[in-house]
Amino acid sequence: MINIENEQKTLPVLLTIRSEQHFENMEPDSMELMTEGTLTAAGEGGIVLSYQESELTGLEGTTTTFEVRGPQVILSRTGNVNSQMVFEEGKQHTSLYETPFGELAVDIQTSRLRHSLTERGGLMDLRYSISVEHSVTGRNAFKIRVRPKHELRENGQS
């Protein structure tokens, strides 16, 4: 007999990702991207979102993964760009960010982390500031909407 509860279920999804960056003395920079990816239910309520970056984001050749586990979200990038950032509301985490010129230690201070993600999709709202060498360099936000691809076809959308 197969225990289905312990198997990971991967679902093809459509991600709508809106990102905003606010830097001092500059106009906010925002971008919205729709891309295909996967959602994997990872047991104990964990959710893993994964997608390939494109030329549009400047990260072509990179896989981005959001791993949602309890009060934490871990954003990992692997490929042409390698980095890992840990987000936990009200807490600061130091992460390593790889650049073509070397690695930087950056502090991530998460001011908001909300999500309604399940194995069927949902929303994630993430707001945080980044500090390099203890100096805040900017405030950022991600809003991610996750929908199963099959729902779109059934509703006549592409």
Side-chain angles (χ1 to χ4, degrees):
M1 189 159 138
I2 297 173
N3 185 350
I4 295 176
E5 287 183 357
N6 289 335
E7 288 184 13
Q8 290 188 341
K9 300 173 195 165
T10 298
L11 178 70
V13 293
L14 184 66
L15 302 160
T16 304
I17 303 165
R18 180 169 176 76
S19 65
E20 295 179 8
Q21 296 180 314
H22 300 267
F23 299 102
E24 204 168 317
N25 302 323
M26 294 177 69
E27 288 292 314
D29 182 28
S30 65
M31 177 173 54
E32 187 165 295
L33 170 73
M34 286 183 72
T35 189
E36 294 181 6
T38 59
L39 180 152
T40 305
E44 296 181 25
I47 298 288
V48 178
L49 297 173
S50 187
Y51 65 94
Q52 296 295 317
E53 294 285 353
S54 69
E55 192 176 332
L56 181 66
T57 63
L59 299 172
E60 191 174 20
T62 301
T63 300
T64 295
T65 302
F66 287 91
E67 185 178 345
V68 181
R69 291 204 181 272
Q72 277 191 349
V73 171
I74 300 169
L75 184 158
S76 300
R77 290 194 167 113
T78 56
N80 290 342
V81 172
N82 295 294
S83 67
Q84 185 178 66
M85 293 190 269
V86 178
F87 303 98
E88 190 170 359
E89 188 171 315
K91 295 192 177 178
Q92 179 175 298
H93 291 273
T94 300
S95 301
L96 217 48
Y97 196 87
E98 185 181 284
T99 73
F101 310 105
E103 294 178 343
L104 280 176
V106 295
D107 296 324
I108 307 295
Q109 177 71 45
T110 306
S111 58
R112 180 179 175 89
L113 173 55
R114 301 277 189 277
H115 77 84
S116 61
L117 294 171
T118 70
E119 64 272 359
R120 291 178 296 283
L123 298 167
M124 180 166 54
D125 182 10
L126 180 59
R127 297 179 194 172
Y128 61 98
S129 60
I130 295 179
S131 300
V132 178
E133 300 297 324
H134 309 293
S135 177
V136 174
T137 59
R139 292 177 294 115
N140 301 298
F142 279 113
K143 286 187 180 175
I144 302 174
R145 182 176 180 197
V146 183
R147 295 176 291 170
K149 281 177 62 178
H150 67 82
E151 275 184 17
L152 299 176
R153 283 195 300 272
E154 289 169 5
N155 294 332
Q157 298 176 1
S158 56

